[in-house]
């Protein structure tokens, strides 16, 4: 029982971190139609900046918030470089890859190449159904639920959120109704940066961060986001959880060598199932 | 300038470049021959990828996987004493067959879902390679791959491989060029613009996509096959996801949907990254510098190229070419070439 | 690429006959052809011209009186950056030390460093570049796959490569021209088994990654286990990129193992350590020499406290008795390194510094030719920061279990265990 609980809780916690990265993807894609492969770099900066602020003596909590704000500014800069002016979407996508590389170089210069970590939420780990769970995972859970809730509210209930979505679904109509499409896009990058930063700041205490962790983080976030077609935050959370749980159970009951591979394969199956369902609906 | 004259200019230019690349290995130093081969192999892969991206409108972030399939197929067969030419021929076949088999389901996915699935395929493949050591040598890799023999000819030196790669690259470029000008090519092009429109016009979209996907994988496969004989050793580390990303970068830098863009993109990106890789290694320089150069400066150059000429080098040049007046002379390429890398700002303003 | 080296060494292109010509050609063409734009394959010509320019100038002139050229291939970018950068620092320090005292046989050493970008194919390109530069020996890669990839070229060019990667397979059996400086996974495995035996541990769980290092280490250890009366009762594998180890650790917990042995290199071990502690496991946690540096102890922090880590003898320099033969060599290297870089040298620095010292000694004995260096290396006995090596034509690793220390991570410092203190006297 305790092994099962152990896998379940770790899987959920990791799934939520993926979902945090995924929501950044979703937000930016929904507004700008750009797949932002620099999303992982936001998380790296979130973790590394928190580390530096903590070391400078700034208390826990404040450090994280400051780091996230700083990453939001980085998000803005990335947004300007990626979407300003007229540029094809594919070029924008490659530019985000370039920005991710640039971030690696900067992170390497400032923080070096050694993995970096700091202690997370203080206090003893707690026991659920016989399984020891790191307290940091609880924080991941609370923060992500709050964020996902507020994102759902933002998109479904506020004029502002609807305006953001309108930019992507019909940029021309959005413009006509007085929405500044570019500005909305930049705002999406700011928020996407903040979401990535939060993910990184939460993740670093349980998984040490390195300057080049962004590639795998981006892939995991992309994997979770794709389940919702890169547009649905709710499905992205589901995607993250499916991924995290599959990894843990495959790792536990089969072999850790195959955990990511099976999770990826499962996501492909989910995507094929979605495509089939859409096709069938289209025929009706 | 008449259409005929224009096309004869293009043709003679192609011949000049073809001949000069043919002569090049004779004068290159042995390490430069290595880079020549690298460019040639990348050209072969990128031609297929460009076909996929520009004509079928499908982005693959897993092209290095098919490169790997080709390499492992040839490598494993060669180690098990198959004639090396048979092993090399099997490389594109294996890559093509695998692409066909996974393409049947995967190509039902659209847009980014397909991008994701190609990326996922590569990651899964790497895990499989690492965990089938009885066949692939696992993470330790396969060594002792014998040199390639074509009949009585032993292909062993760098120059030999340079010519082999030249022949294959030219063949691949010509096949692709003819393909894109044929009916299937026009069909593919129509598909890239609007799949539903193409479908309505009676084009069997699914079937063309699958053929294209298979062909591009076969290109990557033959490049992988040559690679494995060239290096003589193979391990999963040679096929990281970043290599797939680099192939896509080459397509975009060269100019998506242009056959010659594949060559240009492969050459430009390889030369830039080789230059940057060697710049910062001097003992007196800090050890962090190579990362700054090969990631930071490389990324900056990439971003600047894409911001200034988003259509890629060949895409931009071909737009300019279309605007040229009859007075334009035929001796332009060297210049435009230089400028598009060295002075893209000028270029963009001119355009 | 000669062009690149020309730039790198600060020489302008025009200084070299052909290079200058190429450059002028460029400039002229640029002016004349500005007005035209052609659709076809434009940048290619640029690339070709660049390549042509890069190849033609300056065949290296072999001057007997000039500096001796030694090559180095290491990973300055890519996943192995932390290892490669320390490799470079170690090698450069040793070269500087030799040059400061007048060089070898009155000639200075000129170290030419190439980055393999943690990619075996690039290592092959690097090897050929070094050959065309005319180096007489090479400090070989730190990345195992790179070491394996260059072997055919090393043997074809008959230039010795003293590798800094921990791949046993490159020297078992001993191959001509291929030597290695880090301890083999075999002797490290044996020493860890001896430690377990001394501690009365018999039932052991193992976790290893699927890298060549992790696989090799585990297989060597498994093969030797029965000699030491050790039973491996659980074997879990993970990826180099793995970040959660819940399943392995849960299985270890319920297996009743008396210790957990981990074979792997990279950031994964740091995460494993944190989760090991978080799950309340209290059995000894043992690591191979891949974790024997602050690259592991620093990020692992408090969680790493108490971990048992194998290390080359250089890692415990300050704790060695002054009677220990390698002590002075280790400490003089370590003190210089620490003064310059602010931290105690990790094993990689010792490995590369040692490789330079071996090559220098070989040159001193037999002259600055590849054949001479190879002949000297094949019979060399030398003490470097990694301990005392005795190479022979059938042993190209040269170290024994006596050069492997078993340490305990004590607040971030590697402190020798009683087991090792007894060994070094």
């Amino acid at each position: 029982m305790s092994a099962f609980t152990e896998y379940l809780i770790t899987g959920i916690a990791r799934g939520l971190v993926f979902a945090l990265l995924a929501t950044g993807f979703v937000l930016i894609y929904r507004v700008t139609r750009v797949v932002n492969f620099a999303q992982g770099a936001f998380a790296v900066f979130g973790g590394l900046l928190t580390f530096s602020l903590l070391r400078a003596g700034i208390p826990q909590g404040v450090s994280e918030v400051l780091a996230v704000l700083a990453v939001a500014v980085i998000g803005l800069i990335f947004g300007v470089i990626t979407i300003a002016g007229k540029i094809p979407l594919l070029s924008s996508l490659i530019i985000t890859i370039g920005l991710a590389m640039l971030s690696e170089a900067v992170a390497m210069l400032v923080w070096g190449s050694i993995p970096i970590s700091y202690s997370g939420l203080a206090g003893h780990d707690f026991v659920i159904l016989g399984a020891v769970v790191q307290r940091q995972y609880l924080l991941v859970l609370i923060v992500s639920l709050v964020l996902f809730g507020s994102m759902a509210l933002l998109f479904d209930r506020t004029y502002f959120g609807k305006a953001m979505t309108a930019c992507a679904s019909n940029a021309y109509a959005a413009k006509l109704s007085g929405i500044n499409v570019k500005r909305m896009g930049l705002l999406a990058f700011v928020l996407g940066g903040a979401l990535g930063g939060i993910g990184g700041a939460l993740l670093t205490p349980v998984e040490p961060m390195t300057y080049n962790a962004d590639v795998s983080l981006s892939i995991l976030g992309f994997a979770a986001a794709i389940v919702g077609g890169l547009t649905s935050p709710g499905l992205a959370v589901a995607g993250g959880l499916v991924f995290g749980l599959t990894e843990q159970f495959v790792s536990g009951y089969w072999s850790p060598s195959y955990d990511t591979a099976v999770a990826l394969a499962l996501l492909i199956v989910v995507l094929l199932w979605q495509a089939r369902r859409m096709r069938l609906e289209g025929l009706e | 300038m008449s259409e005929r004259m224009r096309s004869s200019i293009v043709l003679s230019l192609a011949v000049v470049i073809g001949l000069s690349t043919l002569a090049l290995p004779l004068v290159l130093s042995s390490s430069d021959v290595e880079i020549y081969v690298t460019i040639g192999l990348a050209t072969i892969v990128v031609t297929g990828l460009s076909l996929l991206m520009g004509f079928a409108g499908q982005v693959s972030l897993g092209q290095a996987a098919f490169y790997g399939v080709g390499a492992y197929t040839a490598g494993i067969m060669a180690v098990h004493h198959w004639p090396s030419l048979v092993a090399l021929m099997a490389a594109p076949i294996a890559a093509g067959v695998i692409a066909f088999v996974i393409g049947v389901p995967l190509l039902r996915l659209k847009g980014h879902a397909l991008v994701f699935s190609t990326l996922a395929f590569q990651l899964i493949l790497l895990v499989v390679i690492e965990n089938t050591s009885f066949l692939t040598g696992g993470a330790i890799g396969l060594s002792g791959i014998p040199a390639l023999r074509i009949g009585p000819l032993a292909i062993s030196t760098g120059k030999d491989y340079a010519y082999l790669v030249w022949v294959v690259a030219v063949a691949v470029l010509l096949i692709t060029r003819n393909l894109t000008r044929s009916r299937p090519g026009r069909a593919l092009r129509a598909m890239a613009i609007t799949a539903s429109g193409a479908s309505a016009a009676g084009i069997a979209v699914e079937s063309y996509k699958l053929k294209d996907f298979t062909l591009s994988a076969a290109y990557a496969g033959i490049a992988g096959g040559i690679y494995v004989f060239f290096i003589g050793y193979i391990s999963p580390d040679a096929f990281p996801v970043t290599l797939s990303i680099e192939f896509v970068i080459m397509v975009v830098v060269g100019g998506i949907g242009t056959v010659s863009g594949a060559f240009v993109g492969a050459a430009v990106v390889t030369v830039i990254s080789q230059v940057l890789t060697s710049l910062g290694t001097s003992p007196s320089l800090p050890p962090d510098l190579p990362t700054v150069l090969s990631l930071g400066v490389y990324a900056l150059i990439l971003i600047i190229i894409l911001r200034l000429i988003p259509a890629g080098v060949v895409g931009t040049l071909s737009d300019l070419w279309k605007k040229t007046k009859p007075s334009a002379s035929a001796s332009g390429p060297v210049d435009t070439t230089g400028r598009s890398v060295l002075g893209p700002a000028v270029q963009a303003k001119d355009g | 690429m000669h062009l690149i080296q020309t730039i790198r060494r600060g020489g302008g292109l025009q200084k070299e006959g052909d290079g200058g010509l190429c450059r002028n050609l460029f400039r002229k063409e640029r002016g004349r052809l500005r007005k035209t734009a052609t659709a076809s394959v434009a940048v290619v010509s640029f690339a070709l011209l660049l390549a042509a320019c890069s190849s033609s100038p300056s065949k290296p002139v072999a001057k007997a009186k000039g500096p001796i050229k030694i090559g180095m291939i290491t990973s300055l970018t890519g996943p192995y950056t932390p290892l490669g950068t320390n490799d470079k620092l170690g090698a450069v320090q040793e070269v500087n030390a030799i040059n400061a005292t007048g060089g070898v046989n009155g000639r200075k050493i000129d170290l030419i460093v190439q980055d393999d970008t943690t990619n075996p194919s690039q290592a092959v390109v690097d090897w050929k570049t070094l050959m065309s530069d005319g180096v007489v020996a090479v400090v070989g890669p730190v990345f195992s796959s790179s070491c394996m990839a260059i072997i055919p070229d090393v043997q074809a060019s008959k230039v010795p490569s003293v590798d800094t990667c921990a791949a046993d397979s490159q020297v078992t059996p001993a191959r001509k021209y291929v030597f290695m400086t880090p301890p083999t996974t075999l002797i490290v495995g044996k020493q860890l088994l001896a430690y377990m035996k001394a501690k009365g541990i018999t039932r052991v769980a193992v976790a290893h990654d699927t890298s060549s290092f992790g696989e090799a280490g585990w297989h060597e250890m498994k093969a030797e286990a029965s000699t030491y009366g050790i039973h491996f009762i659980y074997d879990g594998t993970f990826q180099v990129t793995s970040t959660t180890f819940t399943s392995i650790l849960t299985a270890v917990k319920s297996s009743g193992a008396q210790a957990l042995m981990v074979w792997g290199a990279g950031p994964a071990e740091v995460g494993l350590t944190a989760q090991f502690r978080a799950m309340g496991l209290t059995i000894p946690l043992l690591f191979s020499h891949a974790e024997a540096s602050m690259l592991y102890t620093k990020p692992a922090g408090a969680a790493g406290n108490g971990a048992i880590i194998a290390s080359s003898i250089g890692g415990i320099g300050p704790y060695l008795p002054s009677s220990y033969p390698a002590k002075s060599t280790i400490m003089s290297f370590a003190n210089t390194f620490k003064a310059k870089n602010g931290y105690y040298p990790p094993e990689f620095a010792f490995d590369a510094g040692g490789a330079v010292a071996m090559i220098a000694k070989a040159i001193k004995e037999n002259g600055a030719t590849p054949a001479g260096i190879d002949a000297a290396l094949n019979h060399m006995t030398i003490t470097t920061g990694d301990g005392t090596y005795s190479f022979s034509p059938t042993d190209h690793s040269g170290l024994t279990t006596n050069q492997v220390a078993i340490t305990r991570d004590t607040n971030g410092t590697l402190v020798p265990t009683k087991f090792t203190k007894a060994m070094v006297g």
Side-chain angles (χ1 to χ4, degrees):
Chain A
M1 187 62 205
S2 96
F4 180 84
T5 321
E6 199 84 68
Y7 303 151
L8 185 71
I9 290 171
T10 317
I12 291 175
R14 267 174 73 75
L16 288 173
V17 174
F18 301 158
L20 271 176
L21 293 164
T23 46
F25 265 107
V26 168
L27 196 66
I28 291 173
Y29 182 80
R30 236 174 118 128
V31 181
T32 65
R33 285 290 180 262
V34 171
V35 183
N36 173 35
F37 279 103
Q39 195 62 34
F42 292 152
V44 170
F45 280 130
L48 298 182
L49 283 168
T50 305
F51 169 81
S52 291
L53 291 167
L54 283 171
R55 216 172 45 169
I58 295 163
Q60 198 132 28
V62 183
S63 292
E64 278 88 343
V65 171
L66 288 177
V68 169
L69 290 176
V71 182
V73 175
I74 296 173
L76 176 66
I77 299 166
F78 281 17
V80 170
I81 298 171
T82 308
I83 61 168
K86 264 180 112 81
I87 184 159
L89 280 178
L90 189 63
S91 302
S92 283
L93 188 152
I94 306 285
I95 287 177
T96 67
I97 292 175
L99 288 169
M101 292 176 184
L102 194 60
S103 307
E104 286 189 15
V106 171
M108 159 94 180
L109 263 185
V110 180
W111 289 277
S113 54
I114 301 174
I116 273 165
S117 193
Y118 46 87
S119 32
L121 202 58
H124 288 292
D125 300 320
F126 53 97
V127 180
I128 303 174
L129 298 171
V132 184
V133 177
Q134 285 172 273
R135 199 162 269 248
Q136 182 74 8
Y137 284 143
L138 187 69
L139 187 64
V140 172
L141 186 79
I142 295 168
V143 173
S144 4
L145 289 181
V146 169
L147 280 173
F148 299 144
S150 38
M151 261 183 85
L153 284 178
L154 175 80
F155 277 122
D156 295 343
R157 295 290 155 85
T158 64
Y159 170 77
F160 175 70
K162 286 177 181 159
M164 283 184 89
T165 310
C167 293
S169 43
N170 190 338
Y172 181 68
K175 243 178 233 167
L176 281 187
S177 48
I179 299 168
N180 184 331
V181 175
K182 278 288 159 187
R183 193 171 295 169
M184 282 294 176
L186 294 179
L187 197 61
F189 266 90
V190 171
L191 292 177
L195 282 170
I198 293 170
L202 287 173
L203 188 63
T204 308
V206 278
E207 291 173 17
M209 193 61 87
T210 48
Y211 76 100
N212 58 359
D214 66 299
V215 179
S216 57
L217 290 173
S218 283
I219 291 173
L220 294 170
F222 183 45
I226 199 72
V227 174
L230 293 178
T231 52
S232 159
L235 285 176
V237 175
L241 289 174
V242 166
F243 201 99
L245 287 168
T246 313
E247 261 194 352
Q248 289 305 313
F249 285 114
V250 169
S251 165
Y253 295 113
W254 183 20
S255 157
S257 302
Y258 291 103
D259 54 2
T260 313
V262 173
L264 288 168
L266 185 69
L267 283 191
I268 294 182
V269 173
V270 170
L271 292 176
L272 287 171
W273 174 73
Q274 283 178 337
R276 185 180 147 80
R277 211 183 50 174
M278 256 164 37
R279 195 173 307 191
L280 290 178
E281 277 168 8
L283 287 176
E284 279 163 7
Chain B
M1 181 164 39
S2 72
E3 202 43 51
R4 178 175 297 178
M5 203 175 137
R6 289 164 71 100
S7 63
S8 68
I9 289 169
V10 173
L11 183 69
S12 50
L13 192 80
V15 171
V16 167
I17 288 166
L19 290 178
S20 52
T21 47
L22 198 55
L24 207 51
L26 297 173
V27 295
L28 291 178
S29 73
S30 73
S31 58
D32 289 345
V33 168
E34 302 282 319
I35 292 159
Y36 180 100
V37 175
T38 309
I39 292 174
L41 293 175
T43 304
I44 299 168
V45 180
V46 173
T47 306
L49 188 58
S50 179
L51 187 71
L52 194 65
M53 287 171 67
F55 294 93
Q58 314 288 322
V59 179
S60 165
L61 267 183
Q63 210 62 8
F66 298 115
Y67 190 55
V69 167
Y72 269 98
T73 304
I76 291 168
M77 288 176 72
V79 166
H80 288 89
H81 311 295
W82 286 71
S84 56
L85 190 61
V86 176
L88 178 63
M89 288 298 134
I93 296 171
V97 167
I98 289 183
F100 185 85
V101 171
I102 67 163
V104 171
L106 290 192
L107 289 172
R108 292 187 186 148
L109 299 174
K110 303 265 178 298
H112 296 298
L114 179 64
V115 175
F116 169 76
S117 65
T118 54
L119 176 72
F121 168 67
Q122 180 173 357
L123 291 167
I124 294 169
L125 184 80
L126 288 175
V127 171
V128 171
I129 291 173
E130 281 193 3
N131 288 288
T132 47
S133 11
F134 65 94
L135 191 66
T136 62
I140 296 167
L142 276 185
S143 51
I145 294 159
L148 186 60
R149 293 191 73 87
I150 300 177
L153 274 169
I155 313 283
S156 52
T157 67
K159 280 190 180 57
D160 298 346
Y161 280 96
Y163 285 116
L164 177 66
V165 166
W166 187 92
V167 169
V168 176
V170 168
V172 160
L173 284 168
L174 287 178
I175 291 172
T176 311
R177 182 175 167 277
N178 290 339
L179 197 69
T180 54
R181 298 190 173 192
S182 64
R183 188 178 142 75
R186 290 197 300 274
L188 284 170
R189 213 185 271 268
M191 249 160 51
I193 298 163
T194 153
S196 56
S199 171
I203 298 168
V205 172
E206 301 296 322
S207 151
Y208 275 126
K209 267 191 198 170
L210 187 57
K211 282 176 191 158
D212 199 6
F213 190 63
T214 306
L215 184 66
S216 76
Y219 286 177
I222 185 113
I226 299 173
Y227 166 85
V228 77
F229 286 111
F230 177 54
I231 301 284
Y233 165 81
I234 187 173
S235 77
D237 307 299
F239 311 99
V241 170
T242 44
L243 182 63
S244 289
I245 294 175
E246 185 143 301
F247 288 142
V248 175
I249 290 174
M250 288 172 178
V251 172
V252 176
V253 166
I256 198 165
T258 57
V259 176
S260 50
F263 181 21
V264 177
V268 169
V269 172
T270 307
V271 169
I272 290 176
S273 70
Q274 285 292 335
V275 169
L276 291 174
T277 298
S278 330
L279 273 181
T281 55
S282 164
S284 55
L285 296 170
D288 285 354
L289 192 64
T291 298
V292 174
L293 288 170
S294 68
L295 284 172
V297 177
Y298 176 84
L300 276 179
I301 294 175
L302 179 67
I303 292 167
I304 290 169
I305 290 180
L306 289 175
R307 287 285 358 174
L308 296 176
I309 45 165
V313 175
V314 172
T316 306
L317 289 174
S318 101
D319 288 347
L320 290 176
W321 171 244
K322 281 170 194 152
K323 289 179 200 158
T324 48
K325 298 280 172 278
S327 64
S329 87
S331 44
V334 175
D335 169 58
T336 42
T337 313
R339 280 170 60 206
S340 41
V341 177
L342 299 173
V346 185
Q347 183 102 46
K349 271 179 216 151
D350 287 353
Chain C
M1 288 176 102
H2 292 294
L3 171 72
I4 294 156
Q5 277 148 21
T6 314
I7 297 170
R8 196 175 68 204
R9 287 170 192 160
L13 276 170
Q14 270 145 329
K15 281 184 197 160
E16 324 245 355
D18 283 339
L21 180 73
C22 276
R23 195 188 191 173
N24 290 337
L25 188 75
F26 248 147
R27 194 175 289 150
K28 214 188 286 170
E29 292 288 86
R30 208 188 299 176
R32 185 157 59 84
L33 302 170
R34 180 152 297 187
K35 291 169 209 108
T36 50
T38 316
S40 179
V41 211
V43 174
V44 179
S45 326
F46 166 73
L48 293 179
L49 202 59
L50 190 69
C53 287
S54 69
S55 66
S56 32
S58 73
K59 263 265 174 273
V61 191
K63 272 184 258 166
K65 291 278 170 268
I68 301 167
K69 285 182 183 168
I70 293 179
M72 174 173 197
I73 300 174
T74 193
S75 303
L76 297 174
T77 54
Y80 270 53
T81 306
L83 287 66
T85 46
N86 282 295
D87 257 327
K88 188 187 164 191
L89 290 172
V92 169
Q93 179 182 318
E94 190 67 28
V95 167
N96 289 344
I98 292 169
N99 286 345
T101 54
V104 189
N105 300 342
R107 293 169 67 188
K108 300 249 153 135
I109 293 176
D110 179 11
L111 188 70
I112 302 172
V113 186
Q114 296 287 327
D115 174 15
D116 73 3
T117 70
T118 323
N119 177 347
S121 349
Q122 185 64 37
V124 174
V125 176
D126 291 344
W127 181 269
K128 296 196 168 149
T129 306
L130 291 174
M131 290 309 111
S132 55
D133 282 335
V135 301
V136 291
V138 175
V139 177
V142 66
F143 181 45
S144 301
S145 298
S146 292
C147 289
M148 298 308 292
I150 61 170
I151 286 175
D153 290 285
V154 173
Q155 301 199 306
S157 44
K158 300 188 194 316
V159 171
S161 179
V162 185
D163 294 349
T164 56
C165 65
D168 291 14
S169 47
Q170 65 186 324
V171 294
T172 43
R175 288 183 170 86
K176 285 196 98 174
Y177 310 108
V178 180
F179 300 82
M180 75 182 268
T181 56
T184 58
T185 53
L186 175 67
I187 63 167
V188 171
K190 277 185 175 175
Q191 190 72 325
L192 282 162
L193 288 167
Y195 171 81
M196 291 176 200
K197 190 181 178 188
K199 287 299 234 180
I201 295 168
T202 54
R203 294 157 53 78
V204 180
V206 72
H208 67 91
D209 71 18
T210 51
S211 73
S212 50
F213 176 78
E215 292 277 352
W218 161 230
H219 287 293
E220 299 288 3
M221 203 175 196
K222 190 163 64 174
E224 294 291 328
S226 59
T227 320
Y228 295 84
I230 308 277
H231 302 281
F232 284 108
I233 55 172
Y234 168 78
D235 159 26
T237 56
F238 57 93
Q239 301 285 113
V240 180
T241 49
S242 289
T243 45
T244 56
F245 304 89
T246 316
S247 59
I248 291 177
L249 296 173
T250 308
V252 169
K253 210 171 181 179
S254 57
S255 71
Q258 295 164 288
L260 172 61
M261 173 70 221
V262 181
W263 280 98
E269 283 65 34
V270 176
L272 188 148
T273 307
Q275 288 161 35
F276 181 89
R277 301 290 177 218
M279 284 182 66
L281 279 153
T282 50
I283 55 173
L285 175 61
L286 291 90
F287 288 103
S288 73
H289 51 316
E291 279 66 45
S293 77
M294 58 115 185
L295 303 184
Y296 165 80
T297 56
K298 207 173 149 192
N305 214 357
I308 301 296
I309 304 172
S311 162
S312 70
I313 210 80
I316 55 162
Y319 299 93
L320 291 168
S322 46
S323 58
Y324 192 81
K327 166 100 178 181
S328 62
T329 312
I330 294 170
M331 288 321 291
S332 76
F333 185 87
N335 290 337
T336 314
F337 191 93
K338 208 170 172 183
K340 180 132 193 272
N341 305 300
Y343 54 93
Y344 190 82
E347 190 193 304
F348 318 109
F350 282 119
D351 292 342
V356 170
M358 288 172 188
I359 293 170
K361 187 175 184 210
I363 293 171
K364 209 171 200 169
E365 288 173 6
N366 260 356
T369 61
I373 295 169
D374 180 58
L377 282 172
N378 266 307
H379 300 282
M380 183 175 284
T381 298
I382 183 173
T383 297
T384 76
D386 282 327
T388 303
Y389 294 77
S390 318
F391 287 125
S392 74
T394 54
D395 183 1
H396 282 188
S397 153
L399 290 176
T400 64
T401 49
N402 287 340
Q403 322 293 329
V404 180
I406 304 296
T407 70
R408 181 176 283 108
D409 178 351
T410 311
N411 303 320
T413 311
L414 299 179
V415 178
T417 54
K418 280 191 193 126
F419 172 84
T420 289
K421 278 185 188 146
M423 178 186 83
V424 297

